[in-house]
Amino acid sequence: MAGLLYALPILMIALFSYPLGIFSDRIGMEASIGYGATIAIVASLLRSFTTSLDLLVVFTGIFGLGFAFCLPNLPKFVKERFPPQLSGTATGVYTTAIPFGTGLAMVLARP
């Protein structure tokens, strides 16, 4: 089951990043990042407090869906918000922060 909980967000990103990227082009980058971050944060909080394994899987999938909403917009966000000489640094920060945050959560989580 631990493998499913780890792989499910990645699966959701693989399945939904493309269609949510198309949808993001319709509603705008800021709205997409806002909706995706909100969905991911709420799902993460719900994951933290659930005592049911089934709900943990559901909330993990919803978290992955929120992340898939944000992910296609991050390169566009960097391009629009940072000067060209800093775009590599900004991309490196968010690219590093994603696995770092995941690893930190694994270290800090209680068994």
Side-chain angles (χ1 to χ4, degrees), residues 19-69:
L20 288 173
I22 293 170
F23 183 66
S24 295
D25 287 339
R26 292 185 184 153
I27 66 170
M29 175 185 63
E30 291 87 1
S32 296
I33 292 173
Y35 293 146
T38 301
I39 291 167
I41 290 167
V42 169
S44 290
L45 289 172
L46 292 171
R47 286 172 57 191
S48 300
F49 296 109
T50 189
T51 57
S52 163
L53 185 58
D54 293 336
L55 284 177
L56 182 62
V57 171
V58 168
F59 295 145
T60 299
I62 294 170
F63 168 79
L65 188 65
F67 201 85
F69 218 142

Side-chain angles (χ1 to χ4, degrees), residues 42-104:
V42 169
S44 290
L45 289 172
L46 292 171
R47 286 172 57 191
S48 300
F49 296 109
T50 189
T51 57
S52 163
L53 185 58
D54 293 336
L55 284 177
L56 182 62
V57 171
V58 168
F59 295 145
T60 299
I62 294 170
F63 168 79
L65 188 65
F67 201 85
F69 218 142
C70 293
L71 199 58
N73 293 289
L74 293 178
K76 190 184 334 183
F77 179 84
V78 167
K79 183 177 180 188
E80 289 184 9
R81 298 292 196 279
F82 292 91
Q85 64 270 23
L86 291 178
S87 65
T89 301
T91 301
V93 167
Y94 82 75
T95 303
T96 303
I98 294 167
F100 181 77
T102 302
L104 186 62

